[in-house]
Amino acid sequence: MTAENDRRPALRQAADAARYAPSIHNTQPWKWTVHPDRLELHAVTDRQLTVQDPDGHMLLLSCGAALHHARLALEAAGWQSRVERPAGDPLAVLYPTEHGEPAPAAVERFEQLKARHTDRRTVRDTPLDAKVLDDLVAATEQEDTRLHLITRDQVIDLAVIVERAQKTETSDERLQQEISEWVGGERTDGTGIPAANLPAGLPLTTVAERDFGQAGTLAAGDGHDTAATYAVLYGTGDEREEWLRAGEALNALWLAATAHGAGLLPLSSPIEVGYTRHELRRIIGDLGAPYLVVRLGNLDDAGVRPAKTPRLPVDQVIDDVAS
Ligand SMILES: Cc1cc2nc3c(=O)[nH]c(=O)nc-3n(C[C@H](O)[C@H](O)[C@H](O)COP(=O)(O)O)c2cc1C
């Protein structure tokens, strides 16, 4: 391998950018291995939520979001790439192919990647424009996943489903114990959700936000969710590759929302609980398998934004493999 052919610096940068991907409870359940010609993505089951997410669905969505980050970082550095998603380990392999001038749109999307974050404050009372929503649906579909926008008539049904899922989860002591290991405090180990990112009190919305079982210090605002748009990410099936693709689509959707100044809040409880996931299927007209519920809406730019959540250090998520 000549120095010219060595793609490791670009691949290392891509893996580094992927550290900022969203993940369930900020578990960051991935590890990258950097090879001279490719980047491999591995799931880290030590950081899987074994009680809350025994099937690893949330882990796969999180890894898919990380994969999308790495793809965008390569694109913004002028690399075209090819992705393989094999069965077994690794989850995905990313091959840079040709190098050229990066497209301005790719550079812009990379900027959104740094701005993206989870915001648990209530949304403003101006709804998203229909044109913005069209754009968000298109961004999701580009990653082979669909987005069902919940109609006004369906919001109450969704609220009931979310409430049932939350009740099932909050009454499960083992699950609550697991959540408490990842949530609250200052999170000096680089994982989990710090108290600063959790609402001081759960906002009084029609569709409830996740109840993490403890109050944080975030002023969530006294707004409501009447102007929010709820949506369900869904696809054709329940295979591992489809969950991974859905994670890539979630990230594409999130970045598109960020570009429009909109916020996205994932609500995963109704997916994690089997019978509520089944009820969600009905809401999307039995068109496919639901992967995640999201709240979309305009956020208050003037208010204090939540602080960035921590990340694991590079050496815990990236391994260099000697050629
Ligand atoms: C698959 C998945 C599910 C998530 N589910 C929830 C949820 O139910 N409630 C919530 O408040 N945040 C949820 N999140 C957001 C994460 O907590 C957040 O991404 C993580 O703490 C990192 O913070 P950041 O997004 O600000 O970088 C979810 C994220 C992912 C990727």
Side-chain angles (χ1 to χ4, degrees):
M1 175 82 33
T2 64
E4 249 168 39
N5 283 338
D6 191 351
R7 283 143 193 204
R8 274 178 290 200
L11 292 170
R12 222 172 275 126
Q13 268 179 10
D16 188 34
R19 289 166 60 228
Y20 297 96
S23 59
I24 183 76
H25 301 349
N26 202 18
T27 47
Q28 305 156 61
W30 54 74
K31 184 145 199 170
W32 297 94
T33 45
V34 180
H35 297 256
D37 64 334
R38 66 189 188 282
L39 192 56
E40 290 184 355
L41 170 64
H42 309 271
V44 174
T45 47
D46 284 357
R47 290 199 291 277
Q48 178 175 351
L49 304 171
T50 49
V51 184
Q52 185 180 324
D53 182 33
D55 300 325
H57 289 157
M58 295 303 128
L59 173 145
L60 287 168
L61 289 179
S62 307
C63 288
L67 176 59
H68 191 254
H69 266 56
R71 284 173 47 201
L72 286 192
L74 282 182
E75 230 178 272
W79 284 99
Q80 290 183 26
S81 63
R82 176 168 61 83
V83 189
E84 284 176 8
R85 299 172 188 82
D89 182 58
L91 283 179
V93 189
L94 193 51
Y95 294 92
T97 50
E98 276 162 49
H99 191 255
E101 264 307 301
V107 177
E108 235 167 76
R109 281 203 291 171
F110 189 68
E111 290 305 312
Q112 305 306 339
L113 185 153
K114 292 182 219 154
R116 184 218 59 81
H117 67 288
T118 302
D119 201 324
R120 299 183 179 85
R121 292 176 300 163
T122 50
V123 298
R124 284 200 346 235
D125 51 14
T126 39
L128 292 174
D129 286 349
K131 219 179 127 315
V132 171
L133 290 172
D134 285 349
D135 217 44
L136 301 187
V137 169
T140 314
E141 286 180 353
Q142 271 197 350
E143 298 294 329
D144 286 345
T145 304
R146 310 288 304 274
L147 190 68
H148 172 92
L149 302 178
I150 299 279
T151 62
R152 292 238 152 261
D153 297 349
Q154 293 177 321
V155 171
I156 298 294
D157 279 352
L158 177 70
V160 171
I161 289 172
V162 169
E163 195 188 319
R164 285 199 189 127
Q166 298 250 39
K167 253 198 189 133
T168 301
E169 292 198 331
T170 47
S171 61
D172 182 335
E173 272 176 36
R174 282 177 60 236
L175 193 148
Q176 290 308 305
Q177 172 58 34
E178 186 178 62
I179 290 188
S180 71
E181 284 160 20
W182 290 97
V183 163
E186 290 193 10
R187 309 300 317 177
T188 49
D189 68 348
T191 62
I193 309 177
N197 298 81
L198 299 173
L202 274 186
L204 295 171
T205 47
T206 305
V207 180
E209 288 190 17
R210 181 185 281 277
D211 179 356
F212 286 93
Q214 59 177 290
T217 57
L218 178 74
D222 48 12
H224 204 266
D225 61 347
T226 23
T229 300
Y230 288 93
V232 182
L233 270 173
Y234 72 97
T236 46
D238 258 334
E239 296 302 318
R240 188 180 88 164
E241 187 183 332
E242 289 159 315
W243 284 94
L244 194 66
R245 286 297 276 142
E248 294 173 74
L250 166 66
N251 204 59
L253 164 66
W254 209 326
L255 298 186
T258 307
H260 284 293
L264 180 153
L265 178 64
L267 303 175
S268 52
S269 301
I271 300 288
E272 290 153 5
V273 175
Y275 74 94
T276 52
R277 183 166 181 234
H278 191 74
E279 289 173 354
L280 273 179
R281 266 180 194 269
R282 198 174 33 79
I283 288 212
I284 59 168
D286 272 322
L287 286 173
Y291 303 129
L292 195 67
V293 177
V294 296
R295 184 198 74 183
L296 300 161
N298 284 309
L299 289 172
D300 188 359
D301 292 334
V304 184
R305 274 184 163 203
K308 294 267 180 197
T309 47
R311 290 299 185 268
L312 284 166
V314 173
D315 61 351
Q316 288 196 38
V317 282
I318 306 178
D319 264 347
D320 275 284
V321 172
S323 56

